[in-house]
Amino acid sequence: MQLTSILLYENLKKHFHIAEYRLLSKNQPLARPFFYEADRGLQSNHIYLTTEVLDLEFFHSMPEDVIFVICQKNETSVLPKGKFSCILLSSHTSAIHVFNFIQSIFDYYEEWEKQLVSICQQDGSLTDLLDASRKVFQNPLRITDMDFSLTAQSGLSQTPEEYDIFRDSTKRVEYLNAFLQDEACQIPPQEINPVLFPSYISGHRSLNINLFLEEQAKYHLSIIEHESPFSESDWYLITILAHHAEYIVHRMHSESSSRSTTLQSIFQSILSDRTADYMNISHLLEHVEWLPSHSYLCSVILAPGSGRWSLNNNTICQYISNDFPASCSIVFKEHVVSFYNLSLLAMEPEDVFQTLVYFIRDSMLKAGYSRPMTGHMNLRRQYLQALTALTMGCEIQPQLWIHHFSQIAMPYILKQATKIFPGYMICYEKLLDLPKSDAVQNTDYMKTLRVYLEHNLNTVQTAKALFIHRSTFLYRLERIKALLETDLEDPEELFYLNLSFRLLEMDNL
């Protein structure tokens, strides 16, 4: 492993007095040291030791990827002005001692890197990787996915209560949304360098870097500033750890991708192919242990546009997958469509609703839910139910975050019934004579009949609701029966009349 001049400087100052230094780098890697010999050239990316302060002309001719460590003999020695990489140690410092100490620094970090390599080669976990790195960073470490769900950690369990944001899923949603709305707490998806998050949201600074999977940022590796203040060398060291963490992430996903990809491809086919062979789909689902005897639920979630601070659909998918292991979420037509295997989850629909309610509300999402159903034959219909719940629910009650198909089933029936004909063309025909009579004779027959039907043909309750005497109501009822040419006793006719009032409301009549 190579060191940077910042890392070299930070280790040297723990044991030696540094008189002066120039132009140190966080990123430029340097190989093990040489003693400087004037008659030999300088090799790139190396550390050179000398006991003399060289002249300015020499320093100006130095390559930018070389650093000098000078163990001066003269107490009055100073570095010439100029741009070059150099560390000047105090007088009476043994060059041999410094050389050996620098070698020990290399040994220490190379031993750490060997541990990381060994963990990767022996199928170790991300937690093993973080545990092996605690001594290097002297701070808690964590790896989260894009919704800040904890994937691996080392040292967080010993942290104070305020670190619960990394462990508590409810607090995590608040933390995620707060970070999404703060420009200082963003890691661009293509950023390969570490990003420092300020402390005012979580109470503690963190140094964060993206972990990539198939050229897409899938996880964040973070150092939490708790036991020790950050040093400038942490910017370099976290990139070393990230490289090995990505190796394990790739291995983890390659091991689990077969089943996940199968589920996603099956549901992609269910949603996109109306002519799909459902017997074949059922066999495929059985192969991944989603059985015909299981119960299923579907949700359709809409993110609030593509605003800068909005959750993206992939993050929503990841969040749901983390909270519901027996689920499958895909992005379909700009929505996040999720299917939940209630049987494998050992959950009731209400459990799913309650688990997601704060995430949906706090993330300013909109969601529609289907009814739970058993078997594979209605999976696409469940998607259509959830989509209908979302779209119609947002039209009828746009102030609500969550809509259930059962709540919009009647408006859906009425909307379907009036797709070709308006309500007045399919309602109970004689019913249209009542508003004509009301207009000409100043009666109130339309309202009277509606209230009568709403009170299940109870004359006393209807008269009370209309604030009229019972005899007055009975007179009106006889007139209404005459106009409708019915005795209002046939159950199908009463159902038709009830439906007709709803149909006319669709026409605002």
Side-chain angles (χ1 to χ4, degrees):
M1 175 177 166
Q2 295 182 315
L3 308 183
T4 64
S5 53
I6 282 287
L7 186 55
L8 175 66
Y9 165 80
E10 289 179 351
N11 280 272
L12 285 172
K13 74 176 182 179
K14 294 176 184 177
H15 292 81
F16 306 101
H17 179 262
I18 296 178
E20 198 175 352
Y21 62 90
R22 296 281 173 83
L23 209 62
L24 303 182
S25 170
K26 291 181 182 179
N27 304 311
Q28 180 65 47
L30 299 166
R32 286 182 179 264
F34 291 131
F35 278 106
Y36 172 66
E37 298 175 85
D39 58 345
R40 302 186 65 175
L42 299 177
Q43 292 189 31
S44 298
N45 301 314
H46 272 277
I47 302 165
Y48 282 90
L49 267 73
T50 182
T51 57
E52 299 178 3
V53 176
L54 306 173
D55 58 31
L56 181 59
E57 183 179 347
F58 173 84
F59 282 120
H60 281 173
S61 65
M62 276 175 48
E64 293 182 358
D65 53 6
V66 164
I67 183 171
F68 265 77
V69 177
I70 303 174
C71 304
Q72 67 176 4
K73 292 181 178 179
N74 186 347
E75 293 183 5
T76 62
S77 296
V78 294
L79 292 175
K81 297 188 181 298
K83 293 184 177 180
F84 50 87
S85 296
C86 187
I87 298 174
L88 177 64
L89 301 182
S90 64
S91 61
H92 311 300
T93 304
S94 167
I96 295 295
H97 183 45
V98 173
F99 181 87
N100 289 338
F101 181 76
I102 293 175
Q103 294 287 7
S104 71
I105 299 172
F106 276 90
D107 291 341
Y108 175 80
Y109 287 106
E110 285 183 359
E111 180 60 30
W112 170 55
E113 189 173 42
K114 285 179 182 178
Q115 284 184 273
L116 301 185
V117 171
S118 177
I119 290 168
C120 292
Q121 291 177 343
Q122 297 177 20
D123 295 336
S125 68
L126 289 171
T127 299
D128 295 333
L129 211 64
L130 300 187
D131 285 343
S133 303
R134 283 273 287 126
K135 62 181 181 181
V136 173
F137 293 97
Q138 299 179 6
N139 273 310
L141 301 164
R142 66 183 172 93
I143 294 176
T144 63
D145 58 28
M146 301 307 283
D147 72 351
F148 286 81
S149 296
L150 198 61
T151 301
Q153 64 87 17
S154 181
L156 283 185
S157 56
Q158 288 80 45
T159 53
E161 184 179 350
E162 60 262 30
Y163 283 85
D164 279 349
I165 56 174
F166 305 116
R167 299 186 285 259
D168 187 308
S169 60
T170 303
K171 295 180 181 179
R172 189 178 71 244
V173 173
E174 299 174 7
Y175 176 73
L176 171 60
N177 284 295
F179 269 45
L180 284 171
Q181 296 171 39
D182 195 313
E183 189 172 0
C185 300
Q186 300 293 309
I187 308 181
Q190 300 305 319
E191 180 59 63
I192 61 173
N193 296 313
V195 176
L196 181 67
F197 286 0
S199 62
Y200 50 76
I201 291 179
S202 66
H204 306 273
R205 295 196 306 170
S206 63
L207 186 62
N208 308 269
I209 190 169
N210 283 327
L211 299 182
F212 291 89
L213 180 68
E214 296 177 353
E215 299 183 354
Q216 289 190 339
K218 294 293 186 181
Y219 296 89
H220 293 152
L221 167 62
S222 305
I223 313 168
I224 313 299
E225 190 176 46
H226 170 56
E227 299 165 16
S228 178
F230 285 141
S231 66
E232 291 189 88
S233 60
D234 287 331
W235 269 252
Y236 173 65
L237 295 174
I238 195 175
T239 63
I240 303 297
L241 180 56
H243 172 74
H244 293 85
E246 283 182 348
Y247 178 90
I248 294 181
V249 165
H250 278 82
R251 192 192 70 223
M252 288 167 44
H253 278 259
S254 65
E255 291 171 352
S256 63
S257 62
S258 177
R259 181 177 179 277
S260 174
T261 302
T262 299
L263 267 178
Q264 290 185 347
S265 63
I266 292 171
F267 282 106
Q268 190 72 40
S269 176
I270 289 171
L271 299 183
S272 60
D273 185 1
R274 296 185 181 184
T275 64
D277 182 349
Y278 272 77
M279 292 302 295
N280 182 52
I281 284 174
S282 184
H283 289 313
L284 292 172
L285 287 170
E286 284 187 76
H287 185 68
V288 292
E289 300 180 0
W290 283 41
L291 305 180
S293 59
H294 290 170
S295 295
Y296 300 95
L297 179 74
C298 180
S299 70
V300 175
I301 294 178
L302 175 66
S306 56
R308 183 175 183 180
W309 311 122
S310 301
L311 290 181
N312 63 53
N313 286 337
N314 290 328
T315 301
I316 298 170
C317 287
Q318 189 65 51
Y319 183 92
I320 293 173
S321 297
N322 289 337
D323 275 15
F324 302 95
S327 70
C328 181
S329 298
I330 61 174
V331 178
F332 183 71
K333 294 186 176 179
E334 300 182 355
H335 295 108
V336 173
V337 182
S338 302
F339 288 89
Y340 310 85
N341 189 319
L342 298 175
S343 300
L344 291 180
L345 290 168
M347 300 176 79
E348 296 296 325
E350 187 63 30
D351 298 326
V352 177
F353 306 152
Q354 290 302 318
T355 302
L356 287 174
V357 63
Y358 294 112
F359 173 68
I360 291 170
R361 183 199 66 186
D362 296 343
S363 302
M364 296 181 289
L365 307 175
K366 298 279 188 176
Y369 288 105
S370 73
R371 291 173 175 171
M373 295 183 186
T374 299
H376 300 151
M377 297 300 110
N378 289 312
L379 290 171
R380 190 171 196 282
R381 294 190 182 102
Q382 284 184 281
Y383 157 68
L384 294 174
Q385 273 194 346
L387 180 62
T388 301
L390 175 65
T391 53
M392 286 201 67
C394 288
E395 290 175 9
I396 298 169
Q397 293 181 298
Q399 76 278 8
L400 298 182
W401 304 107
I402 298 169
H403 306 276
H404 298 270
F405 183 78
S406 296
Q407 297 169 339
I408 58 89
M410 179 56 73
Y412 172 73
I413 291 171
L414 296 172
K415 188 172 183 178
Q416 293 298 109
T418 55
K419 271 190 172 180
I420 298 176
F421 299 110
Y424 71 88
M425 291 187 69
I426 56 176
C427 73
Y428 192 100
E429 187 174 6
K430 289 290 185 180
L431 184 63
L432 297 176
D433 292 338
L434 298 188
K436 293 177 183 177
S437 172
D438 290 345
V440 174
Q441 301 182 30
N442 198 29
T443 57
D444 208 5
Y445 294 154
M446 196 72 170
K447 178 180 178 181
T448 299
L449 178 59
R450 187 180 74 248
V451 174
Y452 184 50
L453 294 172
E454 289 173 353
H455 286 80
N456 300 312
L457 311 186
N458 186 301
T459 57
V460 175
Q461 290 181 4
T462 304
K464 186 177 180 180
L466 291 169
F467 301 101
I468 59 176
H469 195 273
R470 181 171 179 272
S471 59
T472 303
F473 167 72
L474 292 174
Y475 170 78
R476 286 188 190 178
L477 184 60
E478 291 304 314
R479 293 294 304 141
I480 289 169
K481 290 179 179 179
L483 288 169
L484 297 180
E485 299 178 2
T486 180
D487 57 8
L488 296 179
E489 293 182 357
D490 182 357
E492 288 193 5
E493 193 173 47
L494 291 172
F495 170 76
Y496 190 14
L497 281 167
N498 266 304
L499 181 61
S500 296
F501 274 104
R502 294 293 190 94
L503 292 169
L504 292 176
E505 287 175 4
M506 297 283 289
D507 295 338
N508 295 319
L509 295 177

